[in-house]
Amino acid sequence: MLTIHDQVRELRAELVSCALTRRERAQARAELDRLLARQAGMDRATDAPVFIKEAPPA
C-alpha cells in the first residue's frame, strides 16, 4: 500500500518529467492538491495534542 508521501512523490515526478495532456496534467495536479490537503489535516490532528500539552498554565 502506498502512503500519502509516496503518492505525492510519484505525482510530483509525473508532473515534472512526463509528457501529459492538459487533461492528465489537471487530473494529476488535482489529485496532488487533494493528497497535500489530506496530509496537512493529518499533521494538524497529530500536532494538536502536543500543542495543548505544551501550553503554559493560565
Side-chain angles (χ1 to χ4, degrees):
M1 183 172 133
L2 290 176
T3 65
I4 291 175
H5 178 72
D6 294 333
Q7 290 174 308
V8 166
R9 190 176 58 236
E10 285 183 6
L11 285 168
R12 284 182 172 155
E14 282 182 27
L15 287 168
V16 170
S17 63
C18 293
L20 302 172
T21 64
R22 286 183 186 170
R23 182 177 180 190
E24 290 169 332
R25 185 169 297 282
Q27 289 173 336
R29 186 68 222 186
E31 180 65 17
L32 178 59
D33 291 343
R34 281 191 294 276
L35 288 168
L36 291 172
R38 184 174 168 199
Q39 183 65 54
M42 291 170 62
D43 289 346
R44 283 190 301 276
T46 302
D47 291 342
V50 173
F51 290 123
I52 292 170
K53 289 181 182 179
E54 293 179 356

